[in-house]
Amino acid sequence: MRTLPLLSVSLLALAACAPKEAAPVAVAPAPEAAPSVAPYAPVIPKGTGIFAEASSLPFQAPDFSKIKDSDYEPAIEQGIAIQLAEVDAIANDPDTPTFDNTIVALEKSGQMLTRVLYVFSALTSANTNDTLDAIDSRTAPKLSDMRDTILLNDKLFARIKYLHERRADLGLEADQMQVLEVTYDNMVRNGALLSAADKTELKSVNARLSTLSTDFGQKLTKGTKDGALAFTDKRWLAGLSKADVAAAQKTAGDRGLPAGSYVLPLQNTTQQPLLASMGNRAARQALFEHSWMRSERGDANDTRALVQELAELRAQKARLLGYPDYASYVLTNQMAQTPAKAIGFLEQMVPALAAAQQREAAELNTFIRKDGGKFTVTPADWDFYSEKLRKAKYDLDESQIKPYLEITNVLENGVFFAANQLYGLTFKKRSDIPVYHPDVTVYTVYDADGSELALFYFDPWKRDNKSGGAWMSNFVDQTTLLGTKPVVFNVENFTKPAPGQPALISWDDASTMFHEFGHALHGMLSNQRYPSIAGTNTARDFVEFPSQFNENWMTEPRVLANFAKHYQTGAPMPAALVAKIEKAKHFNQGYALGEVVAAALLDLKWHALPADAGKQDVDAFEAKALGSTGLDVAHVPTRYRTSYFRHIWANGYAAGYYAYSWTEMLDHDAFAWFEANGGMTRANGQRFRDMVLSKGHSLDYAQMYRAFAGRDPSIEPMLKARGLK
């Protein structure tokens, strides 16, 4: 996942999504050149504190050795004041609008705010505390108000409109034309043409939405922590590895529980990784129930009232901007363009998925009976028995694989090695860059010519104060306009080993590392002038393409042989084990893809509500929405329930979770192109870098893909890769 704070420097390009133009309203004409008595000299306030100037560390990396919690709020408030003054100066410039004095000036604005928000957003997601959460709650509405003040500034829009109407005569280069188009479109799509009364209403709605999203994220983080399964019955440990037991004991101790206690923390998804190995059925049912109900316990962490209001207000916002529903509003500037196209894409997979789910459930029930069970499979049993069935069918289980997946080896000799083979990159660990937590490591990234390209931070282990899931973001963006190189980080939520235990991860964890590093490559290999169209500043249904594409290289024979080595002996993963993994790759795909498609359809149904639908009963709406998908949601629950669907209520993926499946189509189609053209070669990697990874949003997405692959993408390679065709 790619996360985005409310940025300043690329504020206009990253404004929520794309509503269509409302009816035109009277807008003051763009100012023409006029004589002035004195040179125009706007007063821009000066910032103070650690974020006032760029860091003196390499790559302008944030100096966490000097940053204190008390620094953030004043820096955010100063940053807001500075950017508003900068934009006001642009809007009131008496000179005739030019690309430089309007668009470039906007691209350069807000640098202090960008610096502090990048760091603050990173910490409130990956290493938060009560102080930071309180600051987040206080500043979120202020940031929302600033954003609206800029996007709804009539004088600023008049200048941009003046340039847009004359764009064919301005002699702009291709990237300049794109930035002008993006800036104009996003102001229109965020209310620039609304009446004064409607703008006031929109600002009020946006402020409330910002507060609600912040509250949702904070409640969910706390609810996930509090929802952990704590117990003292040792029988519930049956099937867990020594490392898992040690980790459960350590977590209990860290939480101050008495000796003999165990705690199993929750991951962000409905299914929990440990369910695959837990032999005690009562323990499985308890862990699943804790996961399923984490945000619906009727306590202070219950998120359902927030969801009701978020959904209702989003629908009202869409109506205000001229759309029938929020999904239509969101998808206008996405690759899919319309909800109908996104839903149609998902639904074309449903028949094959539903059939696969029925086969898989029947096969598991047969296996359970043969295993002596006198019950039918439930969601809490599914992973346990599918893992046993996989072992029986393919002589394969996770315990055979983990010893070959030591995390540093996977990172340095797998993830980094693949990037070297494809793009010529090399990496060097460094200890002189301060980090925000001892778990974090930092690497300098060198380009093929030996020049310094980027900094990369890696934060792998789950913590109680870390949001669930895995993501990538930036501390510093790539932009030749500002002369900055990317400082990128990946965050995961893997189970940290107890002291003295090897840092072994699962096959899925390793795949997550390749995925998130695909996002990192998208940020690090960006080569754009303007920050608003650089790196991962792309549509949701395109930004997941490079990340999912990068997962393919995990099983490339050269790559796998380089990192899949036994943590004790260094022996490579046996060819027979690799063959088993390959043979089993289509196993359980009705479940694996079905839970994702169900979540994507649930998201779209929430955001297809019209403005007059009113507040929904969350549980009833969810049950009806999932029941209408045609999928076997009774046995294959959605990957995220409404009440803990952080992607769509707090992380910017509203009406956009389908993007994971959409971009999986792109990734398999692109990988098919690689396979047809020589596979993993430097030449092919350079082509992908030059034509996709470096481009940001400098081109139309469909045009960019066609230029790379020579064709539009097809869903066929994805269905074949999933074993559904």
Side-chain angles (χ1 to χ4, degrees):
M1 181 174 69
R2 163 63 167 138
T3 65
L4 292 169
L6 177 61
L7 301 184
S8 51
V9 76
S10 45
L11 178 76
L12 297 173
L14 295 179
C17 293
K20 63 185 176 184
E21 288 196 16
V25 298
V27 177
E32 299 292 341
S36 55
V37 176
Y40 182 59
V43 177
I44 309 296
K46 297 291 184 182
T48 60
I50 192 166
F51 293 104
E53 302 293 338
S55 167
S56 61
L57 292 179
F59 294 86
Q60 300 183 14
D63 191 345
F64 288 106
S65 69
K66 297 179 180 178
I67 299 171
K68 304 181 297 297
D69 287 353
S70 58
D71 292 327
Y72 292 111
E73 192 161 14
I76 291 171
E77 291 178 345
Q78 288 181 45
I80 290 172
I82 291 169
Q83 182 158 21
L84 286 174
E86 290 170 335
V87 170
D88 191 59
I90 298 166
N92 290 286
D93 188 342
D95 291 337
T96 302
T98 66
F99 186 84
D100 284 343
N101 70 18
T102 304
I103 303 301
V104 172
L106 279 173
E107 293 284 314
K108 290 181 176 180
S109 70
Q111 293 181 44
M112 178 177 177
L113 188 56
T114 297
R115 283 192 290 271
V116 61
L117 286 184
Y118 265 139
V119 176
F120 182 69
S121 176
L123 266 65
T124 53
S125 297
N127 199 42
T128 196
N129 56 47
D130 289 344
T131 298
L132 297 182
D133 284 348
I135 295 170
D136 200 14
S137 295
R138 289 194 297 269
T139 57
K142 296 177 182 178
L143 288 163
S144 175
D145 184 68
M146 179 208 72
R147 174 183 177 275
D148 285 336
T149 298
I150 296 172
L151 290 170
L152 301 176
N153 185 312
D154 287 341
K155 290 182 178 179
L156 177 65
F157 181 65
R159 295 181 69 84
I160 293 167
K161 184 172 181 286
Y162 176 91
L163 294 171
H164 189 258
E165 290 172 345
R166 294 159 176 78
R167 61 194 181 279
D169 302 320
L170 297 178
L172 299 179
E173 297 178 28
D175 62 337
Q176 294 174 321
M177 183 69 78
Q178 177 73 350
V179 171
L180 176 56
E181 292 280 7
V182 167
T183 304
Y184 175 80
D185 287 346
N186 278 322
M187 288 198 74
V188 169
R189 291 164 178 168
N190 283 275
L193 295 177
L194 294 179
S195 68
D198 284 347
K199 286 180 180 179
T200 299
E201 183 181 351
L202 180 62
K203 291 180 71 173
S204 176
V205 169
N206 284 341
R208 183 60 181 159
L209 286 172
S210 176
T211 296
L212 292 169
S213 291
T214 300
D215 290 349
F216 181 93
Q218 292 180 6
K219 281 180 180 288
L220 180 52
T221 296
K222 292 173 182 175
T224 300
K225 176 185 176 182
D226 294 346
L229 179 64
F231 57 93
T232 58
D233 190 341
K234 290 187 176 180
R235 291 175 298 178
W236 281 25
L237 298 169
L240 298 183
S241 68
K242 290 181 179 179
D244 290 334
V245 172
Q249 287 177 309
K250 183 178 186 302
T251 303
D254 291 344
R255 296 193 180 191
L257 297 182
S261 299
Y262 305 89
V263 171
L264 304 181
L266 297 180
Q267 303 282 6
N268 63 314
T269 54
T270 295
Q271 285 291 13
Q272 300 298 298
L274 290 179
L275 288 170
S277 55
M278 295 174 73
N280 186 296
R281 191 168 190 235
R284 291 198 304 272
Q285 296 288 354
L287 181 58
F288 182 86
E289 187 71 11
H290 276 241
S291 174
W292 189 250
M293 297 299 294
R294 75 184 75 178
S295 297
E296 298 198 3
R297 296 193 297 268
D299 59 12
N301 297 323
D302 196 311
T303 62
R304 286 174 291 182
L306 297 176
V307 167
Q308 288 180 316
E309 193 174 356
L310 277 162
E312 184 179 40
L313 282 176
R314 285 175 177 174
Q316 291 176 10
K317 176 176 177 175
R319 178 181 61 185
L320 195 61
L321 290 163
Y323 278 86
D325 53 67
Y326 196 75
S328 298
Y329 164 56
V330 167
L331 268 75
T332 305
N333 66 349
Q334 303 296 296
M335 197 171 179
Q337 296 186 323
T338 66
K341 190 170 182 180
I343 291 171
F345 164 73
L346 294 169
E347 288 182 340
Q348 68 181 305
M349 294 184 277
V350 166
L353 276 175
Q357 289 172 346
Q358 291 176 4
R359 290 194 304 270
E360 290 167 8
E363 193 173 18
L364 287 176
N365 284 329
T366 299
F367 185 83
I368 289 170
R369 288 192 294 272
K370 289 181 179 178
D371 196 52
K374 296 182 180 180
F375 54 87
T376 56
V377 69
T378 69
D381 300 314
W382 191 291
D383 280 0
F384 179 74
Y385 283 101
S386 65
E387 181 62 20
K388 291 187 74 170
L389 179 59
R390 182 172 73 153
K391 184 177 181 180
K393 291 182 71 171
Y394 306 106
D395 190 25
L396 177 67
D397 64 36
E398 193 66 52
S399 65
Q400 294 175 286
I401 301 171
K402 272 191 171 183
Y404 296 93
L405 300 178
E406 194 280 324
I407 192 167
T408 301
N409 207 38
V410 174
L411 178 66
E412 295 182 352
N413 295 314
V415 174
F416 290 172
F417 176 76
N420 172 263
Q421 296 298 292
L422 285 164
Y423 312 114
L425 307 184
T426 54
F427 303 81
K428 183 179 179 181
K429 186 183 291 187
R430 56 193 305 168
S431 58
D432 61 326
I433 303 292
V435 294
Y436 58 85
H437 191 278
D439 287 346
V440 180
T441 52
V442 183
Y443 295 82
T444 298
V445 185
Y446 297 92
D447 211 339
D449 62 2
S451 63
E452 290 185 335
L453 179 70
L455 277 186
F456 172 68
Y457 292 60
F458 181 60
D459 180 4
W461 304 121
K462 181 173 179 58
R463 295 185 291 272
D464 285 340
N465 65 343
K466 181 190 280 191
S467 298
W471 62 91
M472 165 268 180
S473 194
N474 291 55
F475 289 128
V476 181
D477 287 320
Q478 180 275 326
T479 161
T480 59
L481 179 70
L482 302 178
T484 54
K485 294 183 178 181
V487 179
V488 173
F489 60 88
N490 278 174
V491 179
E492 279 90 7
N493 267 280
F494 307 148
T495 300
K496 189 174 185 178
Q501 297 294 321
L504 305 180
I505 60 174
S506 70
W507 187 258
D508 285 345
D509 290 343
S511 180
T512 296
M513 288 173 62
F514 275 82
H515 176 101
E516 295 305 332
F517 197 73
H519 283 308
L521 288 167
H522 200 185
M524 293 189 295
L525 298 179
S526 173
N527 185 24
Q528 294 301 314
R529 179 168 24 174
Y530 300 106
S532 62
I533 59 169
T536 55
N537 291 341
T538 63
R540 286 298 184 200
D541 59 5
F542 193 84
V543 78
E544 296 295 337
F545 167 36
S547 56
Q548 298 201 149
F549 172 76
N550 203 55
E551 293 178 39
N552 291 290
W553 304 114
M554 177 177 161
T555 52
E556 164 70 25
R558 260 187 296 158
V559 177
L560 191 64
N562 203 60
F563 77 85
K565 297 180 180 180
H566 199 281
Y567 77 97
Q568 290 174 312
T569 67
M573 182 180 284
L577 181 56
V578 175
K580 290 177 186 178
I581 294 171
E582 178 65 22
K583 188 177 180 182
K585 70 179 182 180
H586 292 156
F587 177 70
N588 206 38
Q589 286 301 302
Y591 193 109
L593 182 57
E595 64 170 355
V596 174
V597 171
L601 288 169
L602 176 62
D603 166 33
L604 287 167
K605 289 176 186 294
W606 267 113
H607 291 106
L609 287 168
D612 59 1
K615 285 186 171 63
Q616 303 294 307
D617 179 302
V618 172
D619 294 340
F621 181 90
E622 177 180 276
K624 183 178 180 180
L626 291 173
S628 68
T629 62
L631 297 168
D632 183 9
V633 293
H635 293 102
V636 184
T638 176
R639 185 171 178 82
Y640 301 99
R641 289 193 78 187
T642 299
S643 57
Y644 51 85
F645 208 159
R646 188 188 298 268
H647 282 75
I648 67 170
W649 304 121
N651 274 351
Y653 278 71
Y657 194 73
Y658 77 92
Y660 285 96
S661 296
W662 181 277
T663 52
E664 185 179 346
M665 170 184 68
L666 299 180
D667 104 60
H668 285 300
D669 191 76
F671 190 67
W673 182 94
F674 266 73
E675 290 183 311
N677 289 275
M680 179 182 253
T681 67
R682 276 284 290 114
N684 285 345
Q686 193 65 40
R687 177 184 176 89
F688 192 69
R689 174 178 178 172
D690 292 343
M691 303 182 78
V692 178
L693 295 178
S694 68
K695 292 296 186 182
H697 187 198
S698 61
L699 295 172
D700 172 80
Y701 305 117
Q703 176 187 348
M704 191 187 308
Y705 189 85
R706 281 194 295 270
F708 161 71
R711 61 172 186 270
D712 287 326
S714 166
I715 198 173
E716 298 302 311
M718 173 185 172
L719 296 178
K720 290 177 182 177
R722 287 281 191 169
L724 297 173
K725 189 166 186 177

